[in-house]
Amino acid sequence: MRDHADETPRLLPWTTPDGNPCYLLPGDGTGYVSRLADRMEAEQLGAAATLIEEAERILTERRWTPGELQLLTVDLKNSLAATYRVATSRGARLPAPDDARDADPDEERDARPREAPGDGDARQPRP
C-alpha cells in the first residue's frame, strides 16, 4: 500500500451535488476513477477547442443577436471554468522544482488547489 501523506490529492473534474470539489487520493493513475477523470478532462478540453472555433465564427460574422451573445458568453464562462479546473488539477500533480524542495516548511502554502471562480455555477441564459 502506498503512503499518501506527502502526495497531493487529485482534484477531479466534477463536483458533489452541493458544488463542493471532489478529490482522489494519489495512486498509479490506472484505476477506474483516474481513467474516468482523464477521459472527462479530455472531453472538456476538446469541447473548449470547439467552442473557441464557434466563438471565432460568431464574432467574425458580426451578425449576432443578443441571445446568441449571451449564450456564447455563458458557454465560454463554463468552458473556461472547466479548463481552469483541469489546469489546476494537473498543475498540482507536477513535481516540485529541485529548488522548491529545499524551501522553508513554514512558508509552504495549502497544497489544495484553489477552486475556479464561479465553479459549478450553472447559470442559464435568460429567455
Side-chain angles (χ1 to χ4, degrees):
M1 179 176 223
R2 291 181 57 153
D3 178 21
H4 300 291
D6 295 328
E7 297 183 36
T8 303
R10 177 181 181 174
L11 175 65
L12 295 172
W14 55 80
T15 61
T16 67
D18 296 332
N20 295 316
C22 293
Y23 294 92
L24 177 66
L25 291 176
D28 63 6
T30 62
Y32 175 76
V33 176
S34 289
R35 291 190 322 267
L36 181 63
D38 290 343
R39 191 167 45 247
M40 188 169 182
E41 287 177 351
E43 290 173 9
Q44 289 172 329
L45 294 175
T50 301
L51 187 57
I52 290 168
E53 292 172 3
E54 178 70 9
E56 183 67 33
R57 185 189 60 76
I58 288 173
L59 296 174
T60 299
E61 289 178 5
R62 296 181 184 242
R63 293 179 303 164
W64 54 76
T65 66
E68 287 174 322
L69 282 180
Q70 184 174 10
L71 181 60
L72 177 63
T73 302
V74 169
D75 288 346
L76 286 168
K77 177 261 177 204
N78 290 338
S79 182
L80 182 59
T83 303
Y84 179 83
R85 186 178 195 86
V86 170
T88 299
S89 176
R90 291 181 180 183
R93 291 180 280 140
L94 290 174
D98 289 335
D99 58 335
R101 291 185 186 131
D102 299 327
D104 183 1
D106 293 332
E107 294 179 7
E108 289 184 19
R109 289 192 246 167
D110 184 8
R112 289 180 42 191
R114 192 172 69 107
E115 192 171 322
D119 196 18
D121 189 4
R123 292 189 189 140
Q124 297 297 319
R126 295 182 193 148

